[in-house]
Amino acid sequence: MSLQEFEKIFQDKVDKDIRIEPKDWMPDAYRKTLVRQISQHAHSEIVGMLPESNWITRAPTLKRKATLIAKVQDEAGHGLYLYSAAETMGTSRDEMIGQLHNGKAKYSSIFNYPTLTWADMGAIGWLVDGAAIMNQVPLCRASYGPYARAMVRICKEESFHQRQGFEILLVLSRGSQAQRRMCQDAIDRWWWPSIMMFGPNDDASPHTAQSMQWKIKRFTNDELRQKFVDVCAEQIKILGMTIPDPELAWNEEKKHYDFGPIDWEEFREVINGNGPCNKERLAARVKAHEDGAWVREAALAHAEKRRSKEQKAIA
Protein backbone atom coordinates (compact mmCIF):
# COMPACT_ATOMS: atom_id res chain seq x y z
CA MET A 1 0.00 0.00 0.00
CA SER A 2 1.03 3.59 -0.57
CA LEU A 3 1.81 6.05 2.22
CA GLN A 4 -1.45 7.87 1.48
CA GLU A 5 -3.42 4.64 1.95
CA PHE A 6 -1.72 3.96 5.30
CA GLU A 7 -2.46 7.52 6.41
CA LYS A 8 -6.12 7.16 5.43
CA ILE A 9 -6.50 3.91 7.38
CA PHE A 10 -4.85 5.56 10.38
CA GLN A 11 -7.06 8.66 10.29
CA ASP A 12 -10.19 6.55 9.78
CA LYS A 13 -9.37 4.65 12.99
CA VAL A 14 -8.82 7.91 14.85
CA ASP A 15 -12.08 9.37 13.53
CA LYS A 16 -13.95 6.27 14.73
CA ASP A 17 -12.32 6.51 18.18
CA ILE A 18 -10.44 3.24 17.70
CA ARG A 19 -7.33 3.38 19.86
CA ILE A 20 -3.93 3.41 18.19
CA GLU A 21 -1.65 0.81 19.79
CA PRO A 22 2.17 0.58 19.75
CA LYS A 23 2.36 -2.01 16.96
CA ASP A 24 -0.09 -0.16 14.71
CA TRP A 25 1.16 1.88 11.79
CA MET A 26 1.21 5.61 12.54
CA PRO A 27 2.58 8.73 10.82
CA ASP A 28 6.06 9.76 11.90
CA ALA A 29 4.69 13.18 12.85
CA TYR A 30 2.09 11.57 15.14
CA ARG A 31 4.79 9.53 16.86
CA LYS A 32 7.04 12.57 17.21
CA THR A 33 4.21 14.70 18.64
CA LEU A 34 3.31 12.03 21.19
CA VAL A 35 6.89 11.46 22.31
CA ARG A 36 7.30 15.21 22.81
CA GLN A 37 4.04 15.59 24.71
CA ILE A 38 4.25 12.45 26.85
CA SER A 39 7.91 12.93 27.76
CA GLN A 40 7.33 16.57 28.69
CA HIS A 41 4.36 15.46 30.77
CA ALA A 42 6.58 12.88 32.50
CA HIS A 43 9.31 15.47 33.11
CA SER A 44 6.70 17.79 34.65
CA GLU A 45 5.59 15.12 37.11
CA ILE A 46 9.16 14.42 38.20
CA VAL A 47 10.29 18.05 38.43
CA GLY A 48 6.95 18.84 40.07
CA MET A 49 8.01 16.80 43.09
CA LEU A 50 10.63 19.41 44.00
CA PRO A 51 8.52 22.44 45.05
CA GLU A 52 6.44 20.31 47.41
CA SER A 53 9.13 18.01 48.79
CA ASN A 54 10.71 21.23 50.04
CA TRP A 55 7.91 21.37 52.66
CA ILE A 56 7.83 17.75 53.83
CA THR A 57 10.10 18.42 56.81
CA ARG A 58 8.21 21.64 57.65
CA ALA A 59 4.62 20.43 57.44
CA PRO A 60 2.62 21.76 60.43
CA THR A 61 1.35 18.35 61.66
CA LEU A 62 2.23 14.68 61.31
CA LYS A 63 -0.97 14.13 59.32
CA ARG A 64 -0.04 16.91 56.89
CA LYS A 65 3.45 15.46 56.54
CA ALA A 66 2.17 11.96 55.78
CA THR A 67 -0.31 13.29 53.25
CA LEU A 68 2.32 15.41 51.51
CA ILE A 69 4.74 12.48 51.37
CA ALA A 70 1.99 10.38 49.77
CA LYS A 71 1.32 13.11 47.22
CA VAL A 72 4.96 13.49 46.23
CA GLN A 73 5.19 9.71 45.91
CA ASP A 74 2.15 9.78 43.62
CA GLU A 75 3.87 12.32 41.37
CA ALA A 76 6.90 10.04 41.06
CA GLY A 77 4.60 7.20 40.04
CA HIS A 78 2.92 9.39 37.43
CA GLY A 79 6.28 10.16 35.90
CA LEU A 80 7.11 6.46 35.70
CA TYR A 81 3.76 5.60 34.05
CA LEU A 82 4.33 8.30 31.46
CA TYR A 83 7.95 7.39 30.72
CA SER A 84 6.74 3.83 30.18
CA ALA A 85 4.01 5.04 27.81
CA ALA A 86 6.53 7.08 25.84
CA GLU A 87 8.89 4.10 25.63
CA THR A 88 6.21 2.19 23.68
CA MET A 89 6.81 4.73 20.89
CA GLY A 90 10.37 3.50 20.50
CA THR A 91 12.28 6.11 22.50
CA SER A 92 14.36 5.13 25.53
CA ARG A 93 14.00 6.54 29.02
CA ASP A 94 17.69 7.43 29.08
CA GLU A 95 17.21 9.47 25.93
CA MET A 96 14.22 11.34 27.38
CA ILE A 97 15.98 12.07 30.66
CA GLY A 98 19.08 13.17 28.77
CA GLN A 99 16.98 15.67 26.80
CA LEU A 100 15.58 17.04 30.06
CA HIS A 101 19.01 17.45 31.59
CA ASN A 102 20.57 19.14 28.55
CA GLY A 103 17.67 21.56 28.23
CA LYS A 104 16.35 20.22 24.93
CA ALA A 105 13.09 18.96 26.50
CA LYS A 106 10.74 21.23 28.42
CA TYR A 107 8.52 20.70 31.43
CA SER A 108 5.59 22.72 32.76
CA SER A 109 6.59 26.32 33.46
CA ILE A 110 4.61 26.28 36.72
CA PHE A 111 7.28 24.32 38.56
CA ASN A 112 9.83 27.10 38.17
CA TYR A 113 8.18 29.19 40.87
CA PRO A 114 9.23 29.05 44.56
CA THR A 115 7.13 27.67 47.43
CA LEU A 116 7.47 30.33 50.10
CA THR A 117 4.92 29.29 52.73
CA TRP A 118 2.83 26.30 53.79
CA ALA A 119 -0.15 27.92 52.05
CA ASP A 120 1.65 27.29 48.76
CA MET A 121 0.96 23.57 49.28
CA GLY A 122 -2.71 24.44 49.26
CA ALA A 123 -2.48 26.76 46.25
CA ILE A 124 -0.53 24.17 44.27
CA GLY A 125 -3.10 21.51 45.07
CA TRP A 126 -6.11 23.66 44.28
CA LEU A 127 -4.80 25.67 41.33
CA VAL A 128 -1.89 23.74 39.78
CA ASP A 129 -3.37 20.27 40.22
CA GLY A 130 -6.78 21.68 39.37
CA ALA A 131 -5.43 23.02 36.07
CA ALA A 132 -3.67 19.70 35.49
CA ILE A 133 -6.94 17.80 35.96
CA MET A 134 -8.70 20.12 33.52
CA ASN A 135 -5.98 19.37 31.00
CA GLN A 136 -5.64 15.67 31.69
CA VAL A 137 -9.15 14.28 32.04
CA PRO A 138 -9.71 14.64 28.26
CA LEU A 139 -6.42 12.76 27.74
CA CYS A 140 -8.11 9.66 29.15
CA ARG A 141 -9.79 9.59 25.73
CA ALA A 142 -6.61 10.32 23.76
CA SER A 143 -6.21 8.34 20.55
CA TYR A 144 -3.00 6.60 21.68
CA GLY A 145 -3.88 3.64 23.92
CA PRO A 146 -0.95 3.48 26.37
CA TYR A 147 -1.15 7.23 27.06
CA ALA A 148 -4.91 7.20 27.56
CA ARG A 149 -4.79 4.22 29.92
CA ALA A 150 -1.99 5.75 31.99
CA MET A 151 -4.04 8.93 32.37
CA VAL A 152 -6.99 7.13 33.99
CA ARG A 153 -5.09 6.35 37.19
CA ILE A 154 -3.17 9.63 37.11
CA CYS A 155 -6.38 11.66 36.98
CA LYS A 156 -7.92 9.72 39.86
CA GLU A 157 -4.91 10.46 42.02
CA GLU A 158 -4.71 14.10 40.90
CA SER A 159 -8.31 14.58 42.00
CA PHE A 160 -7.25 13.69 45.56
CA HIS A 161 -4.37 16.15 45.31
CA GLN A 162 -6.73 18.91 44.22
CA ARG A 163 -9.10 18.28 47.11
CA GLN A 164 -6.21 18.08 49.55
CA GLY A 165 -4.96 21.47 48.38
CA PHE A 166 -8.36 23.11 48.62
CA GLU A 167 -8.81 21.73 52.13
CA ILE A 168 -5.48 23.25 53.20
CA LEU A 169 -6.60 26.65 51.93
CA LEU A 170 -10.04 26.23 53.51
CA VAL A 171 -8.52 25.64 56.94
CA LEU A 172 -6.23 28.66 56.55
CA SER A 173 -9.12 30.82 55.30
CA ARG A 174 -10.99 30.10 58.56
CA GLY A 175 -7.97 30.70 60.76
CA SER A 176 -6.25 33.74 62.20
CA GLN A 177 -5.68 36.96 60.30
CA ALA A 178 -2.10 35.91 59.66
CA GLN A 179 -3.28 32.59 58.23
CA ARG A 180 -5.85 34.33 56.05
CA ARG A 181 -3.16 36.67 54.72
CA MET A 182 -0.94 33.69 54.01
CA CYS A 183 -3.79 32.01 52.14
CA GLN A 184 -4.52 35.07 50.00
CA ASP A 185 -0.84 35.68 49.30
CA ALA A 186 -0.39 32.12 47.97
CA ILE A 187 -3.45 32.47 45.72
CA ASP A 188 -2.14 35.81 44.44
CA ARG A 189 1.22 34.32 43.51
CA TRP A 190 -0.03 31.07 41.91
CA TRP A 191 -3.11 32.28 40.02
CA TRP A 192 -1.53 33.68 36.86
CA PRO A 193 1.16 30.97 36.50
CA SER A 194 -1.67 28.42 36.78
CA ILE A 195 -3.62 30.19 34.02
CA MET A 196 -0.50 30.01 31.85
CA MET A 197 -0.27 26.23 32.33
CA PHE A 198 -2.79 25.71 29.52
CA GLY A 199 -0.28 27.03 27.04
CA PRO A 200 -0.42 29.84 24.47
CA ASN A 201 -3.66 31.20 23.10
CA ASP A 202 -5.05 29.06 20.30
CA ASP A 203 -3.97 31.47 17.57
CA ALA A 204 -0.37 31.24 18.80
CA SER A 205 -0.24 27.49 19.52
CA PRO A 206 1.70 25.60 16.83
CA HIS A 207 0.51 22.10 17.75
CA THR A 208 -3.14 22.43 18.74
CA ALA A 209 -4.86 22.05 15.36
CA GLN A 210 -2.96 18.89 14.41
CA SER A 211 -3.31 17.37 17.87
CA MET A 212 -7.05 17.97 17.69
CA GLN A 213 -7.27 16.24 14.31
CA TRP A 214 -5.38 13.24 15.69
CA LYS A 215 -7.52 13.32 18.87
CA ILE A 216 -4.48 13.56 21.08
CA LYS A 217 -6.23 16.66 22.42
CA ARG A 218 -10.00 16.99 22.69
CA PHE A 219 -10.19 20.67 23.63
CA THR A 220 -8.12 23.71 22.72
CA ASN A 221 -5.92 25.61 25.18
CA ASP A 222 -8.36 28.52 25.39
CA GLU A 223 -11.38 26.24 25.91
CA LEU A 224 -9.70 24.50 28.83
CA ARG A 225 -8.46 27.78 30.31
CA GLN A 226 -12.00 29.21 30.22
CA LYS A 227 -13.42 26.13 31.97
CA PHE A 228 -10.76 26.45 34.66
CA VAL A 229 -11.47 30.13 35.28
CA ASP A 230 -15.22 29.47 35.48
CA VAL A 231 -14.71 26.73 38.09
CA CYS A 232 -12.21 28.66 40.22
CA ALA A 233 -14.25 31.87 40.17
CA GLU A 234 -17.02 30.00 41.96
CA GLN A 235 -14.82 27.95 44.30
CA ILE A 236 -12.97 31.04 45.55
CA LYS A 237 -16.27 32.23 47.09
CA ILE A 238 -16.18 29.25 49.48
CA LEU A 239 -12.75 30.33 50.67
CA GLY A 240 -13.82 33.95 51.15
CA MET A 241 -10.70 34.98 49.25
CA THR A 242 -10.28 36.90 45.99
CA ILE A 243 -8.73 36.07 42.64
CA PRO A 244 -6.01 38.63 41.78
CA ASP A 245 -7.68 39.82 38.59
CA PRO A 246 -9.62 43.11 38.68
CA GLU A 247 -11.16 42.28 35.30
CA LEU A 248 -12.69 38.98 36.45
CA ALA A 249 -16.45 39.31 35.98
CA TRP A 250 -19.41 37.16 35.00
CA ASN A 251 -20.50 37.68 31.39
CA GLU A 252 -24.22 36.97 31.27
CA GLU A 253 -24.31 36.94 27.48
CA LYS A 254 -21.48 34.42 27.09
CA LYS A 255 -22.33 32.51 30.29
CA HIS A 256 -18.64 32.56 31.21
CA TYR A 257 -16.33 34.66 33.36
CA ASP A 258 -14.32 37.32 31.55
CA PHE A 259 -10.74 37.65 32.79
CA GLY A 260 -7.82 39.98 32.25
CA PRO A 261 -4.86 39.73 29.86
CA ILE A 262 -2.14 37.16 30.50
CA ASP A 263 1.49 38.27 30.71
CA TRP A 264 2.81 36.07 27.92
CA GLU A 265 6.22 37.68 28.15
CA GLU A 266 6.61 36.21 31.64
CA PHE A 267 5.49 32.83 30.27
CA ARG A 268 8.13 32.95 27.50
CA GLU A 269 10.84 34.00 29.93
CA VAL A 270 10.10 31.07 32.26
CA ILE A 271 9.81 28.57 29.38
CA ASN A 272 13.17 29.77 28.04
CA GLY A 273 14.90 29.11 31.36
CA ASN A 274 14.74 32.53 33.00
CA GLY A 275 12.14 31.89 35.71
CA PRO A 276 12.76 32.25 39.45
CA CYS A 277 13.81 28.60 39.95
CA ASN A 278 14.68 27.17 36.52
CA LYS A 279 18.37 26.64 37.21
CA GLU A 280 17.69 25.35 40.73
CA ARG A 281 15.12 22.80 39.54
CA LEU A 282 17.28 21.44 36.72
CA ALA A 283 20.39 21.28 38.91
CA ALA A 284 18.44 19.32 41.53
CA ARG A 285 17.24 16.79 38.93
CA VAL A 286 20.72 16.33 37.44
CA LYS A 287 22.24 15.84 40.89
CA ALA A 288 19.58 13.31 41.88
CA HIS A 289 20.16 11.39 38.65
CA GLU A 290 23.92 11.33 39.15
CA ASP A 291 23.64 10.39 42.84
CA GLY A 292 21.31 7.52 41.93
CA ALA A 293 23.59 6.05 39.27
CA TRP A 294 24.83 3.31 41.63
CA VAL A 295 21.25 2.17 42.29
CA ARG A 296 20.53 1.80 38.57
CA GLU A 297 23.83 0.00 38.01
CA ALA A 298 23.15 -2.39 40.90
CA ALA A 299 19.64 -3.11 39.65
CA LEU A 300 20.93 -3.87 36.14
CA ALA A 301 23.68 -6.11 37.53
CA HIS A 302 21.15 -8.01 39.64
CA ALA A 303 18.82 -8.41 36.66
CA GLU A 304 21.66 -9.67 34.48
CA LYS A 305 22.78 -12.16 37.15
CA ARG A 306 19.23 -13.47 37.53
CA ARG A 307 18.82 -13.75 33.75
CA SER A 308 22.06 -15.70 33.53
CA LYS A 309 20.90 -18.14 36.23
CA GLU A 310 17.60 -18.67 34.45
CA GLN A 311 19.35 -19.37 31.15
CA LYS A 312 21.64 -21.90 32.81
CA ALA A 313 18.65 -23.59 34.46
CA ILE A 314 16.90 -23.87 31.08
CA ALA A 315 20.05 -25.27 29.47
Side-chain angles (χ1 to χ4, degrees), residues 281-297:
R281 299 286 185 249
L282 195 55
R285 284 310 313 150
V286 171
K287 183 178 185 301
H289 187 72
E290 292 175 348
D291 289 348
W294 70 272
V295 178
R296 296 190 298 277
E297 292 167 2

Side-chain angles (χ1 to χ4, degrees), residues 250-263:
W250 176 251
N251 187 316
E252 184 61 34
E253 182 180 346
K254 296 181 180 178
K255 302 299 181 184
H256 287 296
Y257 277 89
D258 292 331
F259 55 95
I262 297 169
D263 184 356

Side-chain angles (χ1 to χ4, degrees), residues 184-205:
Q184 184 64 62
D185 173 67
I187 293 170
D188 290 347
R189 285 184 289 104
W190 289 95
W191 173 252
W192 288 108
S194 298
I195 292 293
M196 297 175 194
M197 280 181 68
F198 295 94
N201 291 133
D202 293 342
D203 57 2
S205 177

Side-chain angles (χ1 to χ4, degrees), residues 35-47:
V35 169
R36 175 188 57 80
Q37 179 172 326
I38 300 173
S39 65
Q40 289 184 7
H41 191 168
H43 299 330
S44 299
E45 297 284 357
I46 298 300
V47 176

